[in-house]
């Protein structure tokens, strides 16, 4: 705000100083014109007086005209009133010795020859003056003389200087008041901007935009009238908002108008469930708006589901830890009592996955992410007593585009988990994996030895929240698989396999969605 104060002060100073420079010139012209017109009016009035006309025609033999004009001059503020005959010979003059001599200035021709009324500026015996000239017409209409009324330019300059000084006092007073008002305005603006300078505000604005668009939740800010003042890209995508939209969806408005803080409110907008938080925006203990942050309920449920799966896996690891610890204690006991054959037999039993199979995954699959997913699921299935087999015809010859591979954990993770769960309930307990990138598509096939999918459930398995696994499962796995594949331009289909169900996943290599 200091820059604003300095700029406004400099602007006022330059404006007023520039104006004061031209003021003297303008004021001088106005005063000279005004005084010239006044002199002209007086001279014209005198030239039309019958007594003056009669005395000028007779050339004032008794000197009556000078006495009359001297008396008249005392009642006006003109410096001189001079009357001359048709030859510019003075009949009156403030200096008596100059009566009878020729009038100076050589500016009587327009009055004596052309009969015009006019103003002029010339130098006479009394100095430079502004004069009003009027012809004197005789009874027969002939020009018999001239009346000259003048104001000394020196006196005019004094009047102009006085007026100029008075005006400058008002001018600089106004300048001082303007500077004070500029200071008050800058302080008020700074207070309204919470003490931030313009450069800091621009930086905060850029940071705010970056933060808003980095947040994965929909954020909408409104004023006290419920009009949108800010929203991020997620909110625009969730609620189909654009620059012309003034109000948020109706489902949100009733909460925003309350101006109260509310947490974890579940509401539906155009058939989609959201979990929303509402917070008031306050300034100086006054509510000036509201902010709503919303997240799709399905995403929150998916997160809960993932945490549940992690917890279940953690419990299984804890169980395996106890089993392995007991195994080590048993082996140690056999060694302590000298039963080495039994200890070796325990160690030789199939308690660990086959390392050769892990090497097979790495040799056939040349994409690190896919190989990691398959190996991870191999160990996961091993802990559940399910055998994972990599089809001998599988081959992934190059790394997958990152824009596709980042979605594979959701797609393959859910499909393989379902296959392992189905195989766990069967006698054979096997899951076969196949992958190839020959052609224009990435193709994954997951076959389990389960009981298969009931034909009546073929369409329902992709519905949000549908599950046949009980309350511990959210029913969002296949829903996310289908949604993600549609986003990538691919698809998943289920069919009858050699034993149970085979899931086929097709993803175009040209998919580059973010």
């Amino acid at each position: 705000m200091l820059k604003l104060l300095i700029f406004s002060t400099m602007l006022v100073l330059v404006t007023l100083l520039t104006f004061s420079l031209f003021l003297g010139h303008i004021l001088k012209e106005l005063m000279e014109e005004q005084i010239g017109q006044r002199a002209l009016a007086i001279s014209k009035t005198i030239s039309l007086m019958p007594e003056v006309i009669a005395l000028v025609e007779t050339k004032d033999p008794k000197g009556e005209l000078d006495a009359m004009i001297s008396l008249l001059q005392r009642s006006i503020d003109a410096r001189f009133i001079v009357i001359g005959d048709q030859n510019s010979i003075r009949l009156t003059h403030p200096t008596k010795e100059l009566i009878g001599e020729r009038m100076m200035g050589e500016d009587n021709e327009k009055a004596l020859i052309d009969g015009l009324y006019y103003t002029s500026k010339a130098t006479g015996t009394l100095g430079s003056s502004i004069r009003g000239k009027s012809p004197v017409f005789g009874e027969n209409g002939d020009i018999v003389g001239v009346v000259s009324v003048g104001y000394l330019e020196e006196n005019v300059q004094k009047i102009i200087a006085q007026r100029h000084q008075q005006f400058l006092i008002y001018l600089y007073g106004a300048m001082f008041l303007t500077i004070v008002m500029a200071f008050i305005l800058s302080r008020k603006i700074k207070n309204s901007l919470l003490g931030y300078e313009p450069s800091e505000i621009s930086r905060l604005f850029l940071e705010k935009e970056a933060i808003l668009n980095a947040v994965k939740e929909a954020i909408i800010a409104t004023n006290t009238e419920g009009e949108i003042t800010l929203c991020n890209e997620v909110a625009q995508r969730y609620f189909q908002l654009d620059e012309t939209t003034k109000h948020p969806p109706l489902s949100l408005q009733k909460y925003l108008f309350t101006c109260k803080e509310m947490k974890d409110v579940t509401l539906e907008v155009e058939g989609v469930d959201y979990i929303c938080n509402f917070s008031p925006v306050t300034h100086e203990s006054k509510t000036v708006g509201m902010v709503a942050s919303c997240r799709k309920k399905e995403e929150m449920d998916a997160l809960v589901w993932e945490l549940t799966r992690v917890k279940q896996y953690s419990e299984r690891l804890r169980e395996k830890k106890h089993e392995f610890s007991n195994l080590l204690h048993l082996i140690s006991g056999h060694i302590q009592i000298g039963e080495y054959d039994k200890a070796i037999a325990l160690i030789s039993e199939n308690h660990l996955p086959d390392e050769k199979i892990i090497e097979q995954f790495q040799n056939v699959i040349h994409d690190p992410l896919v190989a990691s997913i398959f190996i991870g699921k191999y160990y996961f299935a091993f802990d559940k007593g399910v055998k994972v087999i990599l089809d001998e015809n599988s081959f992934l010859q190059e790394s997958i585009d990152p824009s596709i591979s980042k979605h594979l954990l959701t797609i393959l993770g859910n499909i393989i988990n379902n296959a392992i769960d189905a195989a766990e309930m069967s006698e054979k307990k096997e899951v076969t994996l196949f992958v190839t990138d020959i052609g224009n598509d990435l193709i994954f096939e997951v076959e389990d030895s389960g009981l298969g999918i009931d034909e009546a459930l073929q369409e329902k398995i992709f519905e949000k929240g549908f599950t046949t696994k009980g309350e511990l499962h959210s029913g969002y796995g296949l829903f996310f698989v289908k949604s993600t594949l549609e986003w990538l331009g691919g698809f998943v289909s289920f069919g009858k396999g050699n034993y149970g169900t085979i899931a086929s996943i097709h993803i175009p290599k040209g998919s580059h969605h973010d």
Side-chain angles (χ1 to χ4, degrees):
M1 291 302 108
L2 179 61
K3 292 181 179 179
L4 176 62
L5 177 61
I6 294 174
F7 177 78
S8 58
T9 302
M10 292 300 297
L11 179 63
V12 171
L13 284 174
V14 171
T15 302
L16 293 180
L17 289 175
T18 303
F19 184 72
S20 64
L21 290 176
F22 289 99
L23 178 63
H25 178 70
I26 296 172
L27 189 60
K28 180 180 178 182
E29 290 184 350
L30 291 174
M31 289 296 294
E32 287 181 352
E33 182 180 359
Q34 182 180 1
I35 291 175
Q37 292 299 320
R38 184 173 182 177
L40 180 61
I42 295 172
S43 66
K44 188 175 182 180
T45 300
I46 295 173
S47 68
L48 297 176
M49 295 173 64
E51 299 89 342
V52 173
I53 294 173
L55 291 172
V56 171
E57 278 186 316
T58 59
K59 297 188 178 181
D60 190 23
K62 297 180 180 180
E64 299 176 14
L65 186 59
D66 183 64
M68 182 177 64
I69 293 303
S70 297
L71 182 62
L72 180 62
Q73 185 175 340
R74 296 192 191 100
S75 61
I76 61 175
D77 57 354
R79 180 62 181 83
F80 63 84
I81 300 175
V82 177
I83 299 176
D85 60 12
Q86 68 269 28
N87 297 317
S88 296
I89 302 300
R90 298 188 184 99
L91 300 178
T92 66
H93 195 278
T95 305
K96 306 302 181 182
E97 292 80 5
L98 298 178
I99 295 174
E101 295 184 4
R102 183 176 179 80
M103 299 172 67
M104 297 182 65
E106 303 301 331
D107 55 348
N108 292 335
E109 287 80 4
K110 291 182 181 180
L112 294 174
I113 297 174
D114 301 327
L116 300 177
Y117 299 90
Y118 59 95
T119 61
S120 67
K121 184 187 294 185
T123 302
T125 57
L126 299 177
S128 179
S129 60
I130 299 172
R131 310 173 178 190
K133 298 282 186 175
S134 297
V136 180
F137 293 94
E139 293 182 359
N140 57 3
D142 296 332
I143 298 173
V144 296
V146 61
V147 177
S148 178
V149 178
Y151 291 85
L152 290 181
E153 194 170 2
E154 179 182 353
N155 296 335
V156 173
Q157 292 297 334
K158 290 180 180 179
I159 297 173
I160 293 173
Q162 291 176 353
R163 298 292 187 271
H164 193 197
Q165 185 178 7
Q166 292 175 354
F167 191 84
L168 285 179
I169 292 173
Y170 294 125
L171 193 65
Y172 289 113
M175 181 180 68
F176 175 76
L177 291 177
T178 303
I179 294 174
V180 172
M181 292 300 295
F183 176 76
I184 295 173
L185 178 62
S186 65
R187 289 293 300 273
K188 187 174 182 180
I189 292 175
K190 188 171 184 178
N191 291 335
S192 65
L193 297 177
L194 305 179
Y196 289 106
E197 295 291 336
S199 58
E200 295 174 323
I201 294 173
S202 62
R203 179 178 58 81
L204 288 174
F205 177 79
L206 295 175
E207 291 177 353
K208 180 209 69 176
E209 289 294 319
I211 292 171
L212 282 177
N213 293 324
V215 173
K216 299 304 180 183
E217 292 186 356
I219 296 178
I220 299 176
T222 62
N223 56 22
T224 53
E225 296 178 356
E227 297 177 345
I228 296 176
T229 57
L230 178 147
C231 65
N232 63 353
E233 294 177 355
V234 179
Q236 293 175 359
R237 186 170 66 251
Y238 278 4
F239 306 121
Q240 289 78 48
L241 305 177
D242 55 35
E243 295 179 354
T244 61
T245 306
K246 292 185 178 181
H247 299 278
L250 290 174
S251 301
L252 294 175
Q253 288 184 33
K254 62 181 181 180
Y255 294 98
L256 292 170
F257 276 118
T258 62
C259 295
K260 295 181 180 178
E261 184 175 7
M262 287 174 280
K263 301 291 185 181
D264 300 328
V265 178
T266 302
L267 53 87
E268 181 179 334
V269 180
E270 297 182 358
V272 180
D273 293 330
Y274 294 91
I275 297 177
C276 302
N277 295 314
F278 300 91
S279 300
V281 179
T282 58
H283 178 59
E284 296 180 352
S285 302
K286 183 180 179 182
T287 301
V288 296
M290 288 286 290
V291 174
S293 61
C294 304
R295 191 75 178 263
K296 287 185 177 180
K297 187 175 184 296
E298 63 189 37
E299 296 177 1
M300 302 296 290
D301 291 340
L303 180 61
V304 172
W305 176 71
E306 290 293 339
L307 291 174
T308 302
R309 295 299 295 264
V310 170
K311 184 177 179 181
Q312 292 174 347
Y313 190 61
S314 176
E315 291 293 335
R316 292 193 185 103
L317 287 177
R318 188 177 291 109
E319 293 172 2
K320 291 296 180 182
K321 176 184 176 182
H322 286 295
E323 291 178 7
F324 189 70
S325 178
N326 292 331
L327 178 63
L328 289 177
H329 293 159
L330 181 59
I331 293 172
S332 175
H334 283 308
I335 294 174
Q336 294 294 330
I337 63 177
E339 295 181 352
Y340 302 111
D341 293 338
K342 292 183 179 181
I344 292 172
L346 284 173
I347 296 172
S348 301
E349 289 182 7
N350 188 22
H351 288 289
L352 296 174
D354 191 347
E355 293 296 331
K356 293 182 179 179
I357 295 179
I358 306 304
E359 293 180 5
Q360 179 189 5
F361 280 117
Q362 294 175 324
N363 293 332
V364 173
I365 301 172
H366 295 157
D367 183 87
L369 178 63
V370 176
S372 298
I373 294 173
F374 280 8
I375 291 172
K377 295 304 179 183
Y378 177 84
Y379 276 100
F380 176 68
F382 181 83
D383 289 338
K384 300 184 74 170
V386 177
K387 185 177 182 180
V388 174
I389 302 171
L390 182 63
D391 191 290
E392 60 183 8
N393 295 317
S394 295
F395 188 67
L396 191 59
Q397 57 186 349
E398 59 185 14
S399 296
I400 300 173
D401 190 302
S403 65
I404 299 175
S405 64
K406 67 182 182 180
H407 298 289
L408 291 180
L409 181 60
T410 299
I411 298 170
L412 296 177
N414 284 291
I415 294 295
I416 296 174
N417 283 346
N418 288 343
I420 293 172
D421 291 341
E424 186 180 11
M425 305 300 294
S426 68
E427 294 182 2
K428 194 173 183 180
K429 301 184 184 302
E430 285 185 358
V431 172
T432 303
L433 305 177
F434 170 78
V435 59
T436 180
D437 58 354
I438 299 174
N440 297 324
D441 292 348
L442 294 169
I443 299 175
F444 298 90
E445 290 186 353
V446 181
E447 183 178 3
D448 62 64
S449 59
L451 300 177
I453 301 175
D454 191 340
E455 292 184 2
L457 303 177
Q458 287 283 347
E459 296 298 329
K460 297 190 68 175
I461 58 176
F462 294 109
E463 292 181 4
K464 180 175 61 176
F466 178 79
T467 182
T468 59
K469 298 180 182 180
E471 295 181 355
L472 290 178
H473 298 268
S474 65
Y476 282 92
L478 291 180
F479 171 75
F480 286 140
V481 169
K482 183 180 179 182
S483 301
T484 305
L485 284 172
E486 289 177 349
W487 178 252
L488 294 173
F491 65 90
V492 60
S493 61
F494 292 91
K496 183 70 175 176
N498 294 327
Y499 300 100
T501 303
I502 181 169
S504 299
I505 302 167
H506 293 253
I507 304 174
K509 292 180 180 179
S511 298
H512 296 287
H513 293 87
D514 292 330

